[in-house]
Amino acid sequence: MSLTYLITGASSGIGECFAQELAKLGHDLVLVARRLDRLEKLAQDLQNQFKIKCYCFSCDLSKRDETLALVEKIKSQNINIDGLINNAGFSVAREFHNTELSAQMGFVETCVTAPTILCHAFLPQMQKRKFGRIINVSSMVAFSNGAAGHSLYPAAKSYILKMSRSLAAENCDLGINITALCPGATQSEFQTHNGMNEKIGKDNVLKPMATFDVVKSALDGNSKAKEVVICGIANKFAVAMMKFVPEFILNPIIRHEAKKMVIK
Ligand SMILES: NC(=O)c1ccc[n+]([C@@H]2O[C@H](COP(=O)([O-])OP(=O)(O)OC[C@H]3O[C@@H](n4cnc5c(N)ncnc54)[C@H](OP(=O)(O)O)[C@@H]3O)[C@@H](O)[C@H]2O)c1
């Protein structure tokens, strides 16, 4: 069955890989990001290779009016969204007080508000059709207690994890599979944009995963209606530690490791 998937953040990394894998399966795509040139190039390649249909929308999801306008454009063109991948995101590597409020609020709009708006916009169509697929990209840090630097990132990803689980509970009997994807470090442009490339190379104990492995486990888990997908054995082990090791042991370790990842 050919479906139509909306993917945010499809211009690079995990989102681009979702586009490639869903195109291979014969699904039509609605590609969203700010860099339209990249989306159009990707769309061209995928349409030529897999004979699917692609729509490209440039949208800055850190601006709520643009996110709301995106929903209107998609609805006015009568594009039915069967699958939604809320993937666009980034992190602010500085400490909270060393960052402009506008940067922090742009982060919250992109990583919290936009996925909420898109779920709210497209769930009713899925409920009516009694079929839908949603993957909300969270992170394994959703399970951490927070630490210095990337200050709002664990909170935002925790919100995505819990929103996703609540929506899964509300929609599990309606043919709608909803999954929170919790990757660890993954090879993408994420670390280039937040300035972490060098630090990760030097200090990180976990080797970044390939986007293909992350996306494969997400699509596999979502097809089986798994509510949470944690990618890779090492990340599963790290999440188990965050869940079960007492805070007085865990917090100093997390805070020590997180300190290395802050840009002053
Ligand atoms: N890589 C990791 O280590 C890792 C680990 C855990 C979770 N994640 C999560 O995985 C998701 C994808 O990240 P990635 O690793 O694939 O990083 P990436 O290669 O930097 O991709 C991020 C995508 O988000 C889009 N984006 C960022 N800000 C946007 C905005 N304001 N409006 C619209 N689109 C925006 C970017 O497109 P434009 O720049 O063209 O707008 C790009 O397509 C994120 O939610 C991230 O938090 C990543």
Side-chain angles (χ1 to χ4, degrees), residues 48-65:
N48 290 345
Q49 253 184 295
F50 303 109
K51 309 292 166 223
I52 58 157
K53 206 186 279 175
C54 287
Y55 307 85
C56 298
F57 293 98
S58 169
C59 177
D60 185 345
L61 297 165
S62 72
K63 299 182 177 144
R64 193 173 303 182
D65 52 346

Side-chain angles (χ1 to χ4, degrees), residues 18 29 32 41 45 55 75 94 111 143 154 158 163 170 173 180 183 192 230 262:
F18 265 118
L29 302 174
V32 175
K41 164 90 180 57
D45 291 349
Y55 307 85
K75 287 188 175 173
R94 292 173 193 279
C111 294
F143 299 92
S158 189
M163 173 185 81
E170 288 171 2
D173 297 330
T192 311
I230 298 161
V262 182

Side-chain angles (χ1 to χ4, degrees), residues 120-150:
H120 193 265
F122 297 113
L123 252 174
Q125 301 180 354
M126 296 179 191
Q127 289 168 338
K128 235 185 242 166
R129 289 197 294 270
K130 296 216 180 311
F131 182 89
R133 299 284 178 262
I134 298 179
I135 297 174
N136 294 308
V137 181
S138 173
S139 163
M140 63 181 267
V141 307
F143 299 92
S144 96
N145 287 334
H150 308 265

